[in-house]
Amino acid sequence: MINKRQFLKLVAGLGMSSMLPGAQAKQSSQAEPRSVKKPIVVSTWEHGIPANKAAWKILTNKGTALDAVEQGVRVPEADPEVTTVGYGGFPDREGKVTLDACIMDHNQDCGSVAFLQNIKHPISVARQVMEQTPHVMLVGEGAEQFALKQGFIQENLLTPKAKSAWQQWLKKSKYAPVINVENHDTIGMLALDDQGNLSGACTTSGAAFKMSGRVGDSPLIGAGLYVDNEVGAATATGMGELMIKTVGCHLVVELMRQGRSPEQACKEAVERIAKKLGDYKQFQVGFLALSNTGEYGSYCIQPGFNYAVTDASGSRMIDANSWL
Ligand code: SD4
């Protein structure tokens, strides 16, 4: 008669160990290796398509997510037809184009600029703040001086189109941003590269005809953008005051950490806004999230927000589900 020890040895030798009692349970409790869909890049609104294209070129050439998001959002920053990002952005009520942007990488490093004038690519200045200074955020005159020292050139960013929209606005001087229209072009971009690293970028000229000095969510880490490589990344578009009051993008990432899918996390963040902020129905907010496994999702307050996705199967626009 063989003893227990000899029996186990025999079973192992015959390759039958999976038939032992408890073996099945042990196998299924082992974490499955997660399949990661990479590289991938997602970004807000229709101008996300050409922006993603620039990012995709970098991602498919073994570039980093950080380079991809920077180069991606530079496309709408330079496009005069995009009226709430960079060059061609609608000005504040004094007629000044003031820009906000931030960037964040997989190491939790980040850089940001706010109320920056006369520099076409605030996202690249934000990256320089991240890489060349001991700080996270520079604003206004200080940010502009820093940019000039880094070799950026001073340019007039107020296009004839934006100037005439402002002159038109001055006739009534009523600040009532039109949902999905006056406010709808901030680009937030999230990318996951071949190494499995996430980065994000967000850049805007902010709410059209805002008060001079107003800063929105887009340059604020946690409000307009947040990245945690262990979990995922989120960015936002819409009326920044609502994202600031709820630290919206940080909330989305923390909800993903607790197990929500990207869309569920975005939806719960919108629910939080709806529950806490009485006036939410007058505004648009759209969250967009990407997990570190390449799952993406979005949710917004009002119908009308869409986002661009680019991966190995090509580029497409997706309409976000909405609360109202
Ligand atoms: C802001 N969130 O400055 C920006 C504006 C925006 O789509 O996202 N527009 O409040």
Short mmCIF file of all heavy atoms in Angstrom, two decimals, residues 44-45 47 84 100 175 182-187 202-208 210 214-219 224 236-244 284 286, ligand 1:
data_model
loop_
_atom_site.label_atom_id
_atom_site.label_comp_id
_atom_site.label_asym_id
_atom_site.label_seq_id
_atom_site.Cartn_x
_atom_site.Cartn_y
_atom_site.Cartn_z
N THR A 44 -10.78 63.84 -27.01
CA THR A 44 -12.11 64.45 -27.02
C THR A 44 -12.41 65.13 -28.36
O THR A 44 -11.54 65.74 -28.97
CB THR A 44 -12.22 65.49 -25.89
OG1 THR A 44 -11.14 66.44 -26.04
CG2 THR A 44 -12.11 64.85 -24.52
N TRP A 45 -13.66 65.03 -28.76
CA TRP A 45 -14.23 65.75 -29.90
C TRP A 45 -13.64 65.34 -31.25
O TRP A 45 -12.65 64.63 -31.32
CB TRP A 45 -14.13 67.26 -29.71
CG TRP A 45 -14.73 67.78 -28.43
CD1 TRP A 45 -14.05 68.25 -27.34
CD2 TRP A 45 -16.13 67.86 -28.10
NE1 TRP A 45 -14.95 68.64 -26.36
CE2 TRP A 45 -16.22 68.42 -26.79
CE3 TRP A 45 -17.30 67.54 -28.77
CZ2 TRP A 45 -17.44 68.66 -26.16
CZ3 TRP A 45 -18.52 67.78 -28.13
CH2 TRP A 45 -18.57 68.33 -26.85
N HIS A 47 -11.97 66.95 -33.51
CA HIS A 47 -10.59 67.26 -33.87
C HIS A 47 -9.63 66.25 -33.26
O HIS A 47 -8.43 66.29 -33.51
CB HIS A 47 -10.22 68.69 -33.44
CG HIS A 47 -10.47 68.95 -31.99
ND1 HIS A 47 -11.35 69.89 -31.56
CD2 HIS A 47 -9.98 68.35 -30.90
CE1 HIS A 47 -11.38 69.87 -30.23
NE2 HIS A 47 -10.55 68.92 -29.82
N THR A 84 -11.38 76.82 -29.60
CA THR A 84 -11.11 76.85 -28.15
C THR A 84 -9.83 76.13 -27.76
O THR A 84 -9.68 75.69 -26.60
CB THR A 84 -12.28 76.32 -27.28
OG1 THR A 84 -12.50 74.99 -27.59
CG2 THR A 84 -13.53 77.14 -27.44
N ASP A 100 -4.56 77.48 -21.27
CA ASP A 100 -4.33 76.58 -20.13
C ASP A 100 -3.97 75.20 -20.67
O ASP A 100 -4.62 74.72 -21.61
CB ASP A 100 -5.63 76.38 -19.32
CG ASP A 100 -6.17 77.66 -18.67
OD1 ASP A 100 -5.41 78.61 -18.50
OD2 ASP A 100 -7.37 77.66 -18.32
N TYR A 175 -22.43 86.64 -20.63
CA TYR A 175 -21.67 85.40 -20.50
C TYR A 175 -22.63 84.25 -20.25
O TYR A 175 -23.12 84.04 -19.15
CB TYR A 175 -20.68 85.51 -19.33
CG TYR A 175 -19.82 84.28 -19.14
CD1 TYR A 175 -18.87 83.91 -20.09
CD2 TYR A 175 -19.95 83.49 -18.01
CE1 TYR A 175 -18.08 82.78 -19.93
CE2 TYR A 175 -19.16 82.36 -17.83
CZ TYR A 175 -18.23 82.02 -18.80
OH TYR A 175 -17.44 80.90 -18.62
N GLU A 182 -20.07 76.92 -27.87
CA GLU A 182 -19.03 77.91 -27.61
C GLU A 182 -17.86 77.32 -26.85
O GLU A 182 -16.83 77.90 -26.71
CB GLU A 182 -19.63 79.04 -26.78
CG GLU A 182 -19.57 80.36 -27.50
CD GLU A 182 -20.46 81.36 -26.81
OE1 GLU A 182 -20.50 81.36 -25.58
OE2 GLU A 182 -21.11 82.13 -27.51
N ASN A 183 -18.09 76.17 -26.27
CA ASN A 183 -17.17 75.71 -25.25
C ASN A 183 -16.59 74.36 -25.57
O ASN A 183 -16.08 73.70 -24.71
CB ASN A 183 -18.03 75.53 -23.99
CG ASN A 183 -17.46 76.32 -22.88
OD1 ASN A 183 -16.88 77.35 -23.16
ND2 ASN A 183 -17.59 75.84 -21.69
N HIS A 184 -16.75 73.93 -26.80
CA HIS A 184 -16.69 72.49 -27.01
C HIS A 184 -15.40 71.97 -27.63
O HIS A 184 -15.38 70.83 -28.07
CB HIS A 184 -17.88 72.04 -27.82
CG HIS A 184 -17.68 72.12 -29.30
ND1 HIS A 184 -17.61 73.29 -29.96
CD2 HIS A 184 -17.51 71.15 -30.20
CE1 HIS A 184 -17.43 73.04 -31.23
NE2 HIS A 184 -17.37 71.75 -31.42
N ASP A 185 -14.33 72.73 -27.60
CA ASP A 185 -13.19 72.23 -28.35
C ASP A 185 -11.95 71.90 -27.56
O ASP A 185 -10.91 71.60 -28.15
CB ASP A 185 -12.83 73.21 -29.48
CG ASP A 185 -13.72 73.03 -30.68
OD1 ASP A 185 -14.31 71.95 -30.80
OD2 ASP A 185 -13.82 73.96 -31.49
N THR A 186 -12.04 71.94 -26.25
CA THR A 186 -10.86 71.53 -25.47
C THR A 186 -10.44 70.14 -25.90
O THR A 186 -11.29 69.26 -26.03
CB THR A 186 -11.20 71.49 -23.97
OG1 THR A 186 -11.32 72.82 -23.51
CG2 THR A 186 -10.12 70.78 -23.16
N ILE A 187 -9.14 69.95 -26.09
CA ILE A 187 -8.73 68.57 -26.36
C ILE A 187 -8.06 67.97 -25.14
O ILE A 187 -7.12 68.53 -24.57
CB ILE A 187 -7.87 68.44 -27.64
CG1 ILE A 187 -7.65 66.93 -27.91
CG2 ILE A 187 -6.55 69.21 -27.53
CD1 ILE A 187 -7.31 66.61 -29.33
N CYS A 202 -3.87 67.79 -21.86
CA CYS A 202 -5.13 68.54 -21.97
C CYS A 202 -4.77 69.99 -22.28
O CYS A 202 -3.89 70.56 -21.62
CB CYS A 202 -5.88 68.44 -20.64
SG CYS A 202 -7.53 69.12 -20.70
N THR A 203 -5.40 70.59 -23.29
CA THR A 203 -5.03 71.96 -23.66
C THR A 203 -6.25 72.71 -24.19
O THR A 203 -7.09 72.14 -24.90
CB THR A 203 -3.85 71.96 -24.67
OG1 THR A 203 -3.58 73.30 -25.09
CG2 THR A 203 -4.11 71.09 -25.87
N THR A 204 -6.33 73.99 -23.85
CA THR A 204 -7.55 74.76 -24.16
C THR A 204 -7.29 76.26 -24.10
O THR A 204 -6.34 76.71 -23.45
CB THR A 204 -8.65 74.43 -23.11
OG1 THR A 204 -9.89 74.98 -23.52
CG2 THR A 204 -8.31 74.97 -21.74
N SER A 205 -8.17 77.01 -24.77
CA SER A 205 -8.19 78.46 -24.52
C SER A 205 -9.30 78.77 -23.51
O SER A 205 -9.58 79.93 -23.23
CB SER A 205 -8.40 79.23 -25.82
OG SER A 205 -9.55 78.77 -26.49
N GLY A 206 -9.94 77.73 -23.00
CA GLY A 206 -10.90 77.90 -21.92
C GLY A 206 -12.25 78.38 -22.39
O GLY A 206 -12.54 78.40 -23.59
N ALA A 207 -13.06 78.75 -21.45
CA ALA A 207 -14.41 79.22 -21.78
C ALA A 207 -14.31 80.52 -22.58
O ALA A 207 -13.61 81.45 -22.18
CB ALA A 207 -15.18 79.44 -20.50
N ALA A 208 -15.03 80.56 -23.69
CA ALA A 208 -15.02 81.77 -24.51
C ALA A 208 -15.57 82.95 -23.72
O ALA A 208 -16.56 82.81 -22.99
CB ALA A 208 -15.86 81.54 -25.76
N LYS A 210 -14.60 84.48 -21.14
CA LYS A 210 -14.48 84.37 -19.68
C LYS A 210 -13.95 85.69 -19.10
O LYS A 210 -13.42 86.54 -19.85
CB LYS A 210 -13.48 83.24 -19.36
CG LYS A 210 -12.09 83.50 -19.97
CD LYS A 210 -11.21 82.26 -20.03
CE LYS A 210 -9.92 82.54 -20.78
NZ LYS A 210 -9.09 81.34 -20.96
N ARG A 214 -9.48 84.24 -15.51
CA ARG A 214 -10.16 82.98 -15.18
C ARG A 214 -9.33 81.78 -15.67
O ARG A 214 -8.80 81.76 -16.77
CB ARG A 214 -11.53 82.97 -15.86
CG ARG A 214 -12.38 81.71 -15.59
CD ARG A 214 -12.24 80.68 -16.69
NE ARG A 214 -13.17 79.55 -16.53
CZ ARG A 214 -13.12 78.45 -17.25
NH1 ARG A 214 -12.20 78.29 -18.16
NH2 ARG A 214 -13.99 77.48 -17.05
N VAL A 215 -9.20 80.80 -14.80
CA VAL A 215 -8.52 79.55 -15.14
C VAL A 215 -9.52 78.43 -14.95
O VAL A 215 -10.24 78.39 -13.94
CB VAL A 215 -7.28 79.34 -14.24
CG1 VAL A 215 -6.72 77.94 -14.40
CG2 VAL A 215 -6.20 80.38 -14.58
N GLY A 216 -9.58 77.53 -15.91
CA GLY A 216 -10.52 76.41 -15.83
C GLY A 216 -9.88 75.16 -15.25
O GLY A 216 -8.84 75.21 -14.59
N ASP A 217 -10.49 74.04 -15.56
CA ASP A 217 -10.00 72.75 -15.05
C ASP A 217 -8.81 72.21 -15.84
O ASP A 217 -8.03 71.41 -15.31
CB ASP A 217 -11.13 71.70 -15.14
CG ASP A 217 -11.57 71.49 -16.58
OD1 ASP A 217 -11.84 72.50 -17.27
OD2 ASP A 217 -11.60 70.34 -17.04
N SER A 218 -8.70 72.62 -17.11
CA SER A 218 -7.78 71.93 -18.03
C SER A 218 -6.31 71.92 -17.59
O SER A 218 -5.61 70.95 -17.88
CB SER A 218 -7.91 72.52 -19.43
OG SER A 218 -9.25 72.43 -19.83
N PRO A 219 -5.80 72.97 -16.90
CA PRO A 219 -4.40 72.88 -16.47
C PRO A 219 -4.27 72.31 -15.07
O PRO A 219 -3.15 72.24 -14.55
CB PRO A 219 -3.96 74.35 -16.48
CG PRO A 219 -5.20 75.08 -16.06
CD PRO A 219 -6.36 74.31 -16.64
N GLY A 224 -8.86 68.46 -14.68
CA GLY A 224 -9.00 68.27 -16.13
C GLY A 224 -8.24 67.08 -16.67
O GLY A 224 -8.44 66.68 -17.83
N ALA A 236 -11.08 65.58 -19.18
CA ALA A 236 -12.44 66.13 -19.18
C ALA A 236 -12.56 67.30 -20.14
O ALA A 236 -11.57 67.96 -20.48
CB ALA A 236 -12.79 66.59 -17.77
N THR A 237 -13.78 67.55 -20.54
CA THR A 237 -14.10 68.71 -21.37
C THR A 237 -15.42 69.29 -20.88
O THR A 237 -16.20 68.59 -20.24
CB THR A 237 -14.19 68.30 -22.86
OG1 THR A 237 -14.51 69.44 -23.65
CG2 THR A 237 -15.25 67.22 -23.10
N GLY A 238 -15.65 70.55 -21.18
CA GLY A 238 -16.89 71.18 -20.74
C GLY A 238 -16.63 72.28 -19.73
O GLY A 238 -15.52 72.81 -19.66
N MET A 239 -17.63 72.61 -18.95
CA MET A 239 -17.53 73.76 -18.05
C MET A 239 -16.64 73.42 -16.85
O MET A 239 -17.03 72.72 -15.92
CB MET A 239 -18.94 74.16 -17.60
CG MET A 239 -18.97 75.45 -16.83
SD MET A 239 -18.06 76.80 -17.63
CE MET A 239 -19.17 77.25 -18.93
N GLY A 240 -15.42 73.97 -16.92
CA GLY A 240 -14.37 73.58 -15.99
C GLY A 240 -14.69 73.75 -14.52
O GLY A 240 -14.19 73.00 -13.68
N GLU A 241 -15.53 74.74 -14.21
CA GLU A 241 -15.84 74.99 -12.79
C GLU A 241 -16.43 73.73 -12.14
O GLU A 241 -16.17 73.45 -10.97
CB GLU A 241 -16.81 76.18 -12.66
CG GLU A 241 -16.16 77.55 -12.78
CD GLU A 241 -15.72 77.94 -14.19
OE1 GLU A 241 -16.02 77.20 -15.16
OE2 GLU A 241 -15.06 78.99 -14.33
N LEU A 242 -17.18 72.95 -12.91
CA LEU A 242 -17.82 71.75 -12.35
C LEU A 242 -16.77 70.66 -12.07
O LEU A 242 -16.86 69.94 -11.07
CB LEU A 242 -18.91 71.22 -13.29
CG LEU A 242 -20.24 71.98 -13.25
CD1 LEU A 242 -20.13 73.37 -13.83
CD2 LEU A 242 -21.32 71.22 -13.99
N MET A 243 -15.79 70.55 -12.95
CA MET A 243 -14.73 69.56 -12.72
C MET A 243 -13.84 69.96 -11.55
O MET A 243 -13.37 69.12 -10.79
CB MET A 243 -13.84 69.39 -13.96
CG MET A 243 -14.44 68.53 -15.05
SD MET A 243 -15.68 69.41 -15.99
CE MET A 243 -14.74 70.01 -17.38
N ILE A 244 -13.61 71.28 -11.42
CA ILE A 244 -12.76 71.74 -10.30
C ILE A 244 -13.45 71.44 -8.97
O ILE A 244 -12.83 70.93 -8.04
CB ILE A 244 -12.45 73.25 -10.43
CG1 ILE A 244 -11.62 73.54 -11.69
CG2 ILE A 244 -11.70 73.74 -9.19
CD1 ILE A 244 -11.43 75.02 -12.00
N GLN A 284 -22.39 71.56 -19.92
CA GLN A 284 -21.90 70.28 -20.41
C GLN A 284 -20.62 69.92 -19.65
O GLN A 284 -19.78 70.78 -19.36
CB GLN A 284 -21.59 70.36 -21.92
CG GLN A 284 -20.95 69.12 -22.52
CD GLN A 284 -21.84 67.87 -22.49
OE1 GLN A 284 -22.25 67.41 -21.43
NE2 GLN A 284 -22.10 67.32 -23.66
N GLY A 286 -17.98 66.42 -20.05
CA GLY A 286 -17.75 65.08 -20.59
C GLY A 286 -16.45 64.53 -20.03
O GLY A 286 -15.43 65.21 -20.07
C1 SD4 B 1 -12.55 75.12 -19.37
N1 SD4 B 1 -12.83 72.77 -19.65
O1 SD4 B 1 -11.73 76.02 -19.46
C2 SD4 B 1 -12.47 73.97 -20.33
C3 SD4 B 1 -13.29 74.27 -21.53
C4 SD4 B 1 -13.62 73.06 -22.33
O2 SD4 B 1 -14.50 71.97 -24.04
O3 SD4 B 1 -13.37 71.96 -21.99
N2 SD4 B 1 -14.22 73.12 -23.41
O4 SD4 B 1 -13.48 75.14 -18.56
#
